[in-house]
Amino acid sequence: MSDKVLIIEDEPTLARLVTYNLSQEGYETEVVGNGAEGLHRAIHETYAVIFLDIMLPGMNGFEVLQKLRQNGVKTPVIILTARNAEDEVVQGLKLGADDYITKPFGVAELLARTSAVLRRSRNEESQPAKSANGERMIALGELQIYPDKYEVFVNGQWITLRPKEFEVLLYLAERPGIVVTRDDLMNVVWGFDYIGGQRTVDVHVSSLRKKLELNQQTVQIESIRGVGYKLYVNRQASSSGR
C-alpha cells in the first residue's frame, strides 16, 4: 500500500506540481484548497505526511497546524512558505511543523525532504534498545548512549562529556529529527530558575558538536536559526564508507 499524502494548498499550479511529482514516486495524493477542510481531513483520516501552505483562505496554515497538534494529530507536517520568510519558518517550527520548503522549490528538494520526514516519523533513526546486560541504551548511527550511567560511546570508544553536555545530547537524542528550542534545553537541563542566558546552551552544543565530529560523522547536530537545534542521523555519510 502506498503512502497517502495530504496537500493543503490553494494555488492550483503549485498543488499540481507537488501532486504530479509525488505521484510519480508512488505516493497517493489528496489536494484540499482551504484550511478548514484540510484540518477536517487531517483529523479524521490517516496520512503519512501533510504539506501545509501558510497563506490559505479562511483558516491560515498556522491555525491549522496549531489545531492539529491540539487535537493530538502527530502526522508529520511540512510547511510551504514564501522564499526567505524566516518568521514563517520559525513560527511553523514552534507550532510543531517537522520541516519546511521555501517557494519556489525544485523537485529533488521536494522528494528528498518528504523521504527524510517519513524516515524520521517511522523512528528509523532512533533505535531504543538494551545492552547485553539489560541496561537502557539509545543507539544512533555510530553513537551509543547509556542514560543511567551518563556514558557515551562511539564505535565502542568512550567519549568524555561534561554532565551538562551529556544531558543536552540525551535530550536531543531522545527526539531525533525534531527541532528542540533553546528555551526547552535551558529549562530541562539547567532548570527554570537558572539565571544564565541562552548563550550557555549554544556554548555547550558547540563543545558537544566538536567532540562528536572528532569521532564520527553519522550523527550531527543542526542549528535552526532563531529556534534551536535538531539532532539527526546523516544516512549519506553512513553509507559512504564509514
Side-chain angles (χ1 to χ4, degrees):
M1 182 177 178
S2 61
D3 289 313
K4 187 162 67 169
V5 175
L6 177 62
I7 304 164
I8 308 177
E9 169 61 65
D10 68 326
E11 185 180 332
T13 301
L14 182 59
R16 285 195 296 270
L17 172 68
V18 176
T19 297
Y20 174 78
N21 287 288
L22 290 178
S23 298
Q24 291 294 104
E25 293 296 311
Y27 295 99
E28 179 185 347
T29 61
E30 292 183 12
V31 178
V32 174
N34 66 79
E37 184 181 353
L39 175 63
H40 178 81
R41 290 205 195 184
I43 290 176
H44 294 93
E45 298 184 35
T46 301
Y47 298 94
V49 64
I50 298 170
F51 287 90
L52 178 61
D53 187 22
I54 298 301
M55 302 302 294
L56 293 168
M59 181 183 295
N60 66 43
F62 294 134
E63 294 174 298
V64 173
L65 180 56
Q66 186 174 37
K67 290 183 180 298
L68 282 177
R69 297 315 187 212
Q70 288 175 346
N71 280 273
V73 177
K74 297 181 179 180
T75 306
V77 173
I78 300 176
I79 60 174
L80 303 175
T81 181
R83 178 184 291 275
N84 296 325
E86 182 180 338
D87 56 335
E88 292 186 352
V89 172
V90 171
Q91 186 174 353
L93 292 173
K94 287 183 175 180
L95 287 173
D98 296 85
D99 203 350
Y100 65 91
I101 301 179
T102 55
K103 306 175 185 177
F105 51 82
V107 174
E109 180 184 8
L110 170 71
L111 298 178
R113 288 186 179 274
T114 303
S115 179
V117 165
L118 285 173
R119 284 200 305 270
R120 292 198 298 266
S121 71
R122 291 162 181 163
N123 292 322
E124 291 184 1
E125 295 180 347
S126 177
Q127 303 170 12
K130 289 188 176 181
S131 63
N133 60 7
E135 293 177 305
R136 190 160 63 102
M137 177 182 71
I138 296 174
L140 292 163
E142 300 160 347
L143 186 68
Q144 291 181 333
I145 304 171
Y146 293 85
D148 300 328
K149 298 193 299 184
Y150 270 56
E151 291 183 351
V152 176
F153 292 83
V154 174
N155 287 325
Q157 304 224 339
W158 180 48
I159 304 300
T160 303
L161 298 180
R162 292 178 292 172
K164 294 302 184 185
E165 290 174 347
F166 178 89
E167 291 173 22
V168 169
L169 175 62
L170 178 62
Y171 192 74
L172 292 171
E174 289 176 333
R175 298 157 180 79
I178 303 299
V179 177
V180 175
T181 68
R182 289 179 174 84
D183 283 340
D184 284 342
L185 284 169
M186 178 68 70
N187 293 334
V188 170
V189 177
W190 282 270
F192 288 94
D193 56 350
Y194 181 71
I195 61 175
Q198 292 185 344
R199 179 60 179 162
T200 300
V201 176
D202 296 336
V203 169
H204 279 72
V205 170
S206 177
S207 175
L208 176 60
R209 187 184 277 146
K210 290 177 182 178
K211 291 179 180 181
L212 292 178
E213 289 177 352
L214 284 173
N215 294 278
Q216 57 85 52
Q217 294 182 359
T218 60
V219 175
Q220 298 183 5
I221 301 175
E222 178 183 358
S223 298
I224 307 299
R225 185 178 177 185
V227 183
Y229 298 97
K230 176 174 67 175
L231 182 146
Y232 68 98
V233 175
N234 187 337
R235 297 288 182 183
Q236 184 175 2
S238 180
S239 62
S240 64
R242 288 191 59 86

